[in-house]
Amino acid sequence: MKVTQIADGLWCWSIGDRSSAYMEHGDQMILVDPMLPPAGDDLDRFARAIERDLTRLGGSVHVLLTRHGHPRDSDAIEQMTGAVRWHPGMGEAPAGMYSLPVAEGAVALWSPVHRALVVPDAHMAPGGMGMRPDAVIVTGAGAPREDAPPRELA
């Protein structure tokens, strides 16, 4: 498992060619397309880190999926944290996130708190959106300051 801190309260991790993201929105924890590492040291460290952050934040936990019907390890994460699951087709994204359609049944998720965009893995491959295959989060470092998401992805 490869873990990368993007900014305070904003992390991504990958297992093989799949990626997940962790975000803090105030007292809320958001896990996007979550995957658990295989049993062993990585899983133990992951579980301890999630438990530590749950205690520190004290708020609700949300599992957000970028593709309907692709739950990854959402069931296990929900059992571990008491998270509430959201996927495309369920209305507005929770926790101050915005969903932006990218394909039938798939969305990118915009975090105004971090000015970051989480894009489904399928759209990261060469020929997809033109980003490198191992990137999950595109930060808005040069974007104007506003709460609304970008109007277009292309």
Side-chain angles (χ1 to χ4, degrees):
M1 178 169 79
K2 178 184 174 187
V3 180
T4 305
Q5 182 176 12
I6 308 298
D8 288 341
L10 179 61
W11 296 75
C12 68
W13 73 96
S14 59
I15 300 171
D17 64 349
R18 301 285 183 213
S19 299
S20 302
Y22 166 100
M23 295 181 199
E24 296 174 5
H25 275 215
D27 67 348
Q28 299 179 76
M29 177 187 294
I30 299 169
L31 300 164
V32 180
D33 293 339
M35 295 177 303
L36 291 173
D41 290 343
D42 282 347
L43 180 58
D44 293 342
R45 277 192 302 273
F46 180 89
R48 283 193 307 271
I50 292 293
E51 185 177 324
R52 177 196 65 226
D53 290 348
L54 278 171
T55 300
R56 178 177 52 81
L57 294 170
S60 56
V61 182
H62 302 273
V63 168
L64 307 183
L65 302 176
T66 57
R67 292 181 98 41
H68 180 61
H70 293 264
R72 297 196 179 176
D73 291 323
S74 296
D75 291 339
I77 295 286
E78 289 166 18
Q79 289 176 355
M80 180 188 302
T81 65
V84 175
R85 186 184 309 188
W86 177 91
H87 59 75
M90 291 182 67
E92 290 186 19
M97 298 288 286
Y98 291 90
S99 63
L100 303 155
V102 293
E104 183 69 34
V107 296
L109 294 165
W110 171 252
S111 165
V113 170
H114 296 288
R115 295 173 55 218
L117 186 67
V118 182
V119 180
D121 286 331
H123 291 79
M124 302 305 294
M129 292 183 69
M131 293 181 265
R132 48 191 180 86
D134 61 340
V136 173
I137 299 172
V138 179
T139 61
R145 276 264 185 217
E146 58 183 60
D147 286 341
R151 295 209 188 278
E152 295 181 17
L153 296 179

